[in-house]
Every structure is written in C-alpha cells, then in structure tokens.
Amino acid sequence: MRTVAGFLVGIAVGSMSITLLFLGMRAVMDVGGACADGGPYVSAQPCPTGVPLAMVAAMFGLFAAAGLIMWFGSRIGGLAAGVVAVGWPLLFIALGYNFVDYAFQSPDGEPGPVWSWLIPGVLFFLVGGAPVIVAIWGWREARGGGSGRSSRLVNRLTGGAAADPAATERLVFPTDPAARPIEPSFTSTAFAPAHRSGDDALPRDGG
Amino acid sequence: MSDSLRRWLPVLIIAAALIGVWLGATLFAALT
C-alpha cells in the first residue's frame, strides 16, 4: 500500500512539475522569451513574479518524481517503473507545443510564423516524439514474436532478466502461456535488492 | 499489493497525473 502511494505521489509530482514548467515557459514567452533577475545590472526585462521559483522548483521536482517512480515502481514490478519513461515525451511535447503555439500567435503581433520559435518547436517535437515511435515499433515487434534487436530490447527491459541471468532472452509475450514469467520483474538491476526485501511484492497474475 | 489494486493501477496512475496537473496550475497561480 505504501509502495503504491509513493509511486502515485511520484507521478503527481512529475505531472505537477511539467505543468509548472509549461505555464512558466508561457509566462516568460509572454514577455518576449527571455528575462533576468538579480546581479549587478538593472535587467531590461525582469522576470514575471514567482516564475523563477516555480520553474526551478519544477526542475528539481522532475528529478524527485523520476526517483520516486523508479524506486516504488520497481517494487510494484511489471512495467510500473517504466512509467518514468513517459515523462520525457510529455515534457518535450508540452514545451514544444508552447514554441509552436507562440510561433503562430506571437504576443508581438508579427504576421507569419516566428521562425526562431517554430524551429525549436519542431525540434522539441522530434526529441519528444522519436522515443515514442521507436518504443511503439519495438513493442509491436516483441508482441508479434519477432526476434529483432528492438523486440529483444523490449523483452529485456520488461522481462526481469536481472533476477535470473539465464533469462536474458526470456520473452514477455511468449506464445506458450506456461512459459510466461511468474516472478515479478523490475526494470533495473539497481533496484533488485530493494525489490527482493520488499514484503509487498506479489507474483504477477500471469497477465 | 492486492490483485484488485494492481488491476486499478492504470486508473490510479491517470488520476494521480491529473491531480498533479491541477496542483501545478494551482501552485503556479498562487506563486505568480
């Protein structure tokens, strides 16, 4: 129960941090895209009140969230710890959306797209979207029983190979139901001891 | 961890994420 609570707190902190970054970025873009506070000079463009605190807190919050999700997710087993990987595309696509949105609706009222915001927007979409495409590709291949490099990677990431070195190539989606893993799995060997000592880890229900 | 909890985990994950978005928006409004 505490494991699930910690895991969910990690997810809430993560989405809270991405929301803070998203809104903070929009606030900074509203004043032209850059701002500065402090130091020996008078800033031409001071930051909107509270935005620096919100954004710095959100950056640290993302690390805390990733730690919580991986720590407690590895105790839950299965793909729970892998939820942390969703944070990357969410962050980059959310911030990329801001760039593209402001490229076409610039606060300056310039006609046409603002290229210096459109280009980073497209780049952010690529950075955020590429892992999703690769993941879906690998997942489909693994599901289909393929033995390519991407499906081997998916199986290794999700199959709990750390508990049993001989099971490195064990399939998550074997065609024989009897061959499905009954042991709970964890994504990283770094969490194996924590998982082993966990008293609330139950075998998977076989899927 | 009970089986029913495990079954509801995806729903709980989405609920936690939505609560996080709400918390973030509220916190941002309070800070700025």
Side-chain angles (χ1 to χ4, degrees), chain A residues 105-196:
Chain A
Q105 294 176 31
S106 169
D108 306 336
E110 289 174 42
V114 183
W115 289 100
S116 55
W117 279 353
L118 188 58
I119 291 168
V122 170
L123 278 177
F124 268 53
F125 276 135
L126 286 175
V127 168
V132 177
I133 292 164
V134 172
I136 291 171
W137 186 10
W139 188 267
R140 284 173 62 95
E141 199 186 325
R143 231 192 148 90
S147 58
R149 190 182 296 164
S150 53
S151 68
R152 281 211 304 277
L153 180 66
V154 169
N155 278 318
R156 193 156 68 227
L157 285 175
T158 55
D164 178 8
T168 313
E169 302 293 310
R170 186 166 60 193
L171 295 172
V172 180
F173 302 110
T175 44
D176 175 13
R180 289 187 183 179
I182 52 163
E183 282 273 304
S185 58
F186 32 85
T187 304
S188 163
T189 54
F191 294 104
H195 167 75
R196 278 282 165 215

Side-chain angles (χ1 to χ4, degrees), chain B residues 2-31:
Chain B
S2 68
D3 272 355
S4 63
L5 198 56
R6 190 177 290 276
R7 198 166 298 125
W8 283 97
L9 197 58
V11 179
L12 293 174
I13 288 172
I14 292 166
L18 291 176
I19 290 169
V21 170
W22 175 79
L23 270 177
T26 310
L27 192 59
F28 190 80
L31 283 173

Side-chain angles (χ1 to χ4, degrees), chain A residues 12 15-16 19-20 49 76 200 202, chain B residues 1 6 16-17 20-21 24 28 32:
Chain A
S15 63
M16 184 186 80
T19 308
L20 281 174
T49 318
I76 291 171
D200 47 2
L202 286 176
Chain B
M1 190 178 146
R6 190 177 290 276
V21 170
F28 190 80
T32 56

